[in-house]
Amino acid sequence: MATTATDRIRRTSVASVHVHYVAKAERKGRTRAEVDQVIRWLTGYSQDQLEALLAAKTDFETFFAGAPAMNPNRFLITGMICGYRVEEIEDPFMREIRHLDKLVDELAKGKAMEKVLRGS
């Protein structure tokens, strides 16, 4: 059975991508704290839980499956990311990945945190 891109993403550690999210945000004058705030908003993890998951090199599949409270407002995240319309992605796992990508992208583009977090 061939390994798909989705399979690779499921097994990728959140920590290995988190450093890129932070670097992207910092290049645009944002902070790691803001990136972490976006992740906590989306998933419901506390900062301590997030730090532990990053240190443990938890993969994305486990990360999303164990999220304490996926934010119901995440479905307000729309638009294009990586060539796909977020709201049209059928695979629930890939939609969550793209929600996170889109939030970090909006943060890096200078959007106000209130707007990035959909007013909450």
Side-chain angles (χ1 to χ4, degrees):
M1 187 167 134
T3 302
T4 66
T6 301
D7 292 334
R8 282 191 302 276
I9 293 168
R10 287 178 186 278
R11 291 192 315 265
T12 299
S13 78
V14 177
S16 69
V17 177
H18 184 265
V19 297
H20 296 289
Y21 287 155
V22 171
K24 179 177 185 174
E26 288 178 343
R27 278 194 305 273
K28 301 294 186 166
R30 303 308 283 256
T31 65
R32 177 195 167 144
E34 289 173 309
V35 171
D36 289 355
Q37 181 181 357
V38 163
I39 295 170
R40 292 191 322 265
W41 176 87
L42 179 64
T43 62
Y45 285 116
S46 69
Q47 187 63 35
D48 287 343
Q49 289 170 319
L50 177 58
E51 294 291 342
L53 291 163
L54 293 173
K57 299 197 180 328
T58 302
D59 64 51
F60 272 106
E61 184 168 38
T62 304
F63 180 79
F64 282 118
M70 292 300 291
N71 195 306
N73 287 341
R74 72 190 184 281
F75 297 110
L76 299 175
I77 301 168
T78 59
M80 298 292 288
I81 190 74
C82 301
Y84 296 97
R85 204 154 253 305
V86 175
E87 62 273 22
E88 293 175 0
I89 297 172
E90 292 183 21
D91 179 334
F93 172 78
M94 288 306 297
R95 191 174 331 114
E96 299 303 359
I97 290 284
R98 297 305 179 206
H99 282 151
L100 181 53
D101 290 344
K102 184 70 173 170
L103 291 171
V104 172
D105 191 54
E106 289 175 353
L107 182 69
K109 286 183 175 175
K111 249 190 175 180
M113 187 60 84
E114 181 180 325
K115 289 186 189 255
V116 173
L117 303 183
R118 306 310 190 255
S120 58

